Amino acid sequence: MRAVLTLYFLSFFHWDENLSTAVYHAFSALCYFTPVVGAIMADSWLGKYKTIIYLSIVYVVGHLIKSVGAIPSLGNQVVHVILSMVGLFLIALGTGGIKPCVSAFGGDQFEEEHTSERSKFFSIFYLSINAGSLISTFVTPVLRGDVKCFGEDCYALAFGVPAALMVLALVVFIAGSGLYRKTPPQGNILLEVCKCIGFAIKNRLKNRSSQIPKRDHWLDWASEKYSKQLIGEIKMVTRVLFLFIPLPMFWALFDQQGSRWTLQATKMNADFGIYVLQPDQMQFLNPLLILVFIPIFDLGLYPLINMCRFNFTPIRKMATGMILAGMAFGLAAIVEVKINETDMPRLVPEESLIRVLNLAKNPVQVTIQDKDLFQQPVEAFQNPAEYSKLILNGEQQSLRFTLQYQGLSLPFNYTVKEKSVYSLIVFDAEGNLSSRLITDLEAKPENGLAAVRFINGLNQDVNLTIDSKWFIAVQRNYSASEYSLLERDKYNNGKCITEMGEFPLELGLLDFGASYTIVITNVSGGAVKILKSEDIKANNVHMAWQLPQYLLISAGEVMFSITGLAFSYSQSPASMKSVLQAGWLLTVAVGNTFVLVVAQAAPMAQWAEFVLFTVLLFAVCIIFSIMGYFYVSVDPEDLEEKEEERETPSRGNMISLVTQKTKL
């Protein structure tokens, strides 16, 4: 569902890129915060099975509301936004019950002696998640873009199919109810840890007198109420959680694949010859590359590094993953700079753009009052030159345009507004030279669509049909139609209906992100003669140039995410792994929150934002490396011995993935 979410905000709600990105990451952050709440519910109240059932129902209801909110004919914009936000909130709440409980519930089905079988289950579970992500990130954009409903992209279907599949999955899950081992709630260690830390801080603040003896560690101030064993375990966990502080910056970059990188793909050429890729389909590369990289790294790269006798510690692997993610954003910045070369110039106050389209029979010299533009005559029926910058003396200005044509000098007055783009159309009207100032697009069409408008140079009205779907009426004598947004394609089966009859209309290729003006000049030989000009250049940077950045960030994820989880789990007792899981999920939530803040509080050119994130991640990587240098790793075997000697029974885990040493 997230694969198409950013484009849904952009094209369905018509929000700008910054707002779309902000709401996307606010939703992502919520999805990684609610699992902490869901885990507490499961361990302290409902149990894992009931939590999965109840919150899966909430999850499905959220998807259904989201699908209904994507039906264009249902209410106005406010209704759509309210339904979509309610749906997203319920989805985030539902995933809070699924994300932390499903894997742990699966682990509960195995006895302690079935270690190898449980390990196989987690391998299949991880493979299933990535396979599902791979399929969905490829198929869901197809449901959105290739299937049309209500005359536009079918977001209702793209959101509705996951809802239907989730209903099916829930039915299958409930059908096996009699086969499951359902452990009752045993209390949540995360709450106990929070209470212990809170008591230690409160007790320390109460005893600030210099006469009271100091204690070795600030957590020792909880010894009046909590056991030394629990305090010792929390000390181990806090050491690892301290290392988690720099980690959100990695996730701030990583999760922008679904927002900024998808928006970047909309401004690129997606034609791969045999298949035209949807911009949101590029996200499928990440799960695909993860499935490819894991065996390559585990069976090839890491053993090779060990053969070179280089101590590639988990901290170093995670730092390398950060560097790779930073390099990916550096490449994204370079790609963005190349993309911007085909963009319209960014307009500032008291500035406009103008060009001349000469449809008369002879060259015309155009001069504008007090402006030094158009030094050379404009030839007849040639593609217009680049736009020229027109400096105004206010928000708008009335200007005199003088046309010199065959020894005649003809004045025309037009009012020009700031931050606007214009075309001056020069044409013959009943033997006299005339002109018309029309407004052009100020920016590229969104989502890789092509924009086209028509100018009717005939002395009779015309009705145009494009691809049997688009019907455009254009009045006579050089009247201009509104822009129509079309999918990128070759349009050679159009029709032009005039008083003289019906004629074929061939427009040729209307390319990604381009804007065209089609001038109908005359009808001869049973065909319509046209002049086709490209007002805004097509996207000329191919989407394949995103592949290197996806390669780098996926390799970075393997080194950072999998290594980080395995390392943090190895550094704490089994009873505290749920606390580390909660801390890990919260680093993702904080990272997404950071992107939300940057998108809203500090809007800047996209390439500059990519550079900013690159620099920030490199800086954080240095800080993390220094912290890791001074971190003393704990021997997992020593931890196991301590756990065996524990006098108190094991407490309930939020996420009991594997209570023993696990190979991911």
Side-chain angles (χ1 to χ4, degrees):
M1 189 277 297
R2 283 204 309 170
V4 301
L5 191 57
T6 301
L7 294 186
Y8 175 67
F9 295 149
L10 192 71
S11 60
F12 193 84
F13 290 162
H14 304 291
W15 290 348
D16 61 37
E17 293 187 358
N18 287 331
L19 180 58
S20 300
T21 299
V23 177
Y24 174 90
H25 286 283
F27 169 69
S28 298
L30 188 60
C31 285
Y32 282 94
F33 175 77
T34 53
V36 178
V37 179
I40 294 174
M41 288 176 56
D43 287 345
S44 304
W45 179 29
L46 293 174
K48 297 183 184 71
Y49 178 76
K50 288 184 178 179
T51 301
I52 293 171
I53 296 295
Y54 295 159
L55 291 185
S56 290
I57 294 172
V58 173
Y59 189 85
V60 169
V61 171
H63 268 293
L64 292 175
I65 293 175
K66 189 84 177 64
S67 302
V68 172
I71 299 175
S73 58
L74 185 69
N76 55 21
Q77 175 86 346
V78 175
V79 174
H80 295 149
V81 172
I82 291 174
L83 288 175
S84 295
M85 294 304 106
V86 170
L88 288 175
F89 177 78
L90 293 177
I91 291 169
L93 186 62
T95 200
I98 298 170
K99 197 183 291 290
C101 295
V102 171
S103 57
F105 185 70
D108 288 346
Q109 308 310 306
F110 298 88
E111 301 288 351
E112 288 299 323
E113 62 268 18
H114 298 152
T115 307
S116 61
E117 288 84 356
R118 181 167 51 195
S119 178
K120 290 178 183 177
F121 163 76
F122 284 119
S123 297
I124 296 172
F125 180 77
Y126 189 76
L127 178 67
S128 300
I129 290 174
N130 281 277
S133 179
L134 173 64
I135 295 170
S136 64
T137 50
F138 189 86
V139 173
T140 309
V142 173
L143 299 177
R144 172 197 65 80
D146 293 352
V147 179
K148 301 297 179 183
C149 57
F150 308 103
E152 53 187 84
D153 285 354
C154 200
Y155 286 100
L157 181 65
F159 295 141
V161 168
L165 292 176
M166 189 61 195
V167 170
L168 178 62
L170 184 58
V171 170
V172 172
F173 180 72
I174 295 174
S177 176
L179 305 174
Y180 303 143
R181 292 177 57 201
K182 303 169 187 174
T183 56
Q186 299 174 350
N188 187 270
I189 188 64
L190 179 60
L191 288 176
E192 195 171 353
V193 169
C194 293
K195 290 177 181 178
C196 180
I197 293 174
F199 181 80
I201 295 173
K202 183 179 179 181
N203 198 27
R204 178 68 183 92
L205 293 175
K206 280 183 179 180
N207 298 278
R208 288 178 292 177
S209 174
S210 58
Q211 298 178 354
I212 299 176
K214 294 184 178 180
R215 301 186 185 183
D216 294 336
H217 194 279
W218 64 272
L219 277 168
D220 291 334
W221 289 95
S223 58
E224 284 85 351
K225 186 175 181 181
Y226 295 92
S227 67
K228 291 183 178 180
Q229 178 66 38
L230 176 63
I231 294 173
E233 291 176 350
I234 296 176
K235 287 178 182 178
M236 298 176 194
V237 169
T238 53
R239 293 172 68 248
V240 180
L241 291 178
F242 180 71
L243 276 180
F244 280 7
I245 293 175
L247 304 190
M249 188 53 65
F250 175 87
W251 298 115
L253 275 70
F254 180 82
D255 277 345
Q256 289 188 60
Q257 294 176 77
S259 56
R260 294 300 196 192
W261 284 16
T262 297
L263 294 174
Q264 184 184 69
T266 63
K267 298 177 284 187
M268 304 178 78
N269 187 334
D271 187 3
F272 284 82
I274 58 174
Y275 187 77
V276 176
L277 212 61
Q278 298 287 346
D280 37 359
Q281 277 181 308
M282 282 297 287
Q283 298 174 62
F284 91 96
L285 285 174
N286 177 249
L288 175 64
L289 291 170
I290 292 298
L291 293 175
V292 172
F293 281 159
I294 288 177
I296 290 177
F297 280 45
D298 285 344
L299 303 178
L301 181 62
Y302 294 155
L304 183 63
I305 293 175
N306 291 334
M307 288 174 60
C308 298
R309 298 187 177 181
F310 177 74
N311 187 18
F312 203 30
T313 63
I315 297 292
R316 290 174 177 171
K317 288 179 183 177
M318 294 175 70
T320 304
M322 289 182 174
I323 293 171
L324 292 175
M327 292 170 60
F329 264 66
L331 290 180
I334 295 173
V335 171
E336 190 70 24
V337 170
K338 296 299 293 181
I339 289 173
N340 290 345
E341 292 179 358
T342 62
D343 274 354
M344 291 289 286
R346 188 180 297 273
L347 295 173
V348 299
E350 299 185 1
E351 182 179 288
S352 292
L353 297 176
I354 192 169
R355 65 172 190 170
V356 178
L357 179 59
N358 182 10
L359 303 179
K361 298 177 182 178
N362 295 294
V364 174
Q365 178 67 55
V366 180
T367 57
I368 305 177
Q369 172 188 344
D370 301 328
K371 311 296 179 185
D372 189 18
L373 300 176
F374 310 121
Q375 301 295 324
Q376 300 297 323
V378 181
E379 297 295 328
F381 291 94
Q382 70 173 13
N383 281 325
E386 297 287 335
Y387 286 97
S388 298
K389 189 176 295 185
L390 190 60
I391 306 300
L392 308 178
N393 58 13
E395 293 183 0
Q396 65 180 31
Q397 183 179 355
S398 180
L399 296 174
R400 177 183 291 270
F401 291 74
T402 303
L403 308 182
Q404 296 178 357
Y405 179 74
Q406 294 183 329
L408 299 176
S409 182
L410 304 172
F412 297 90
N413 293 321
Y414 294 109
T415 299
V416 178
K417 297 181 180 179
E418 66 177 3
K419 294 184 178 181
S420 299
V421 183
Y422 297 97
S423 286
L424 180 66
I425 310 298
V426 181
F427 54 91
D428 285 319
E430 298 179 355
N432 297 317
L433 191 67
S434 186
S435 67
R436 180 175 285 129
L437 191 68
I438 60 176
T439 305
D440 298 351
L441 286 183
E442 300 168 10
K444 276 180 171 290
E446 296 177 347
N447 300 334
L449 298 175
V452 61
R453 69 175 173 189
F454 295 87
I455 296 177
N456 180 11
L458 305 180
N459 57 4
Q460 51 189 302
D461 297 343
V462 298
N463 291 293
L464 307 175
T465 303
I466 305 173
D467 197 29
S468 303
K469 299 177 183 177
W470 299 88
F471 304 95
I472 303 169
V474 190
Q475 295 181 348
R476 66 188 71 190
N477 296 331
Y478 297 93
S479 295
S481 69
E482 297 293 328
Y483 280 100
S484 298
L485 296 178
L486 308 175
E487 298 282 347
R488 186 258 191 188
D489 204 349
K490 290 183 178 179
Y491 293 90
N492 292 325
N493 297 318
K495 296 178 182 178
C496 176
I497 303 174
T498 70
E499 296 174 0
M500 296 182 292
E502 182 178 302
F503 303 93
L505 178 65
E506 296 184 2
L507 303 181
L509 176 65
L510 303 182
D511 213 347
F512 294 107
S515 172
Y516 299 92
T517 295
I518 309 292
V519 182
I520 302 173
T521 57
N522 59 73
V523 177
S524 63
V528 176
K529 303 297 182 182
I530 63 171
L531 172 65
K532 178 182 176 182
S533 69
E534 190 178 55
D535 307 340
I536 300 177
K537 292 181 180 178
N539 302 342
N540 60 5
V541 179
H542 200 276
M543 204 181 285
W545 284 107
Q546 280 196 323
L547 180 59
Q549 61 202 56
Y550 273 99
L551 284 168
L552 287 173
I553 206 162
S554 299
E557 181 190 6
V558 173
M559 286 191 165
F560 179 88
S561 181
I562 297 177
T563 304
L565 273 174
F567 170 72
S568 59
Y569 274 33
S570 72
Q571 298 297 294
S572 66
S575 62
M576 291 289 162
K577 294 188 186 339
S578 61
V579 180
L580 286 175
Q581 180 73 359
W584 186 265
L585 292 173
L586 288 178
T587 63
V588 185
V590 173
N592 279 275
T593 304
F594 184 75
V595 181
L596 155 67
V597 172
V598 171
Q600 284 297 292
M604 61 188 76
Q606 190 54 64
W607 66 268
E609 186 179 287
F610 285 150
V611 171
L612 172 66
F613 279 109
T614 300
V615 172
L616 288 175
L617 186 58
F618 283 158
V620 166
C621 179
I622 295 172
I623 296 171
F624 176 74
S625 300
I626 295 172
M627 294 168 63
Y629 178 79
F630 291 102
Y631 179 83
V632 179
S633 295
V634 180
D635 188 349
E637 294 181 0
D638 293 341
L639 287 177
E640 289 175 5
E641 291 176 4
K642 291 180 182 179
E643 290 173 27
E644 290 173 0
E645 295 172 359
R646 284 189 307 174
E647 296 179 358
T648 57
S650 163
R651 298 171 181 85
N653 287 351
M654 179 177 81
I655 299 179
S656 309
L657 283 179
V658 184
T659 58
Q660 299 185 14
K661 187 175 179 181
T662 304
K663 182 178 180 182
L664 295 180

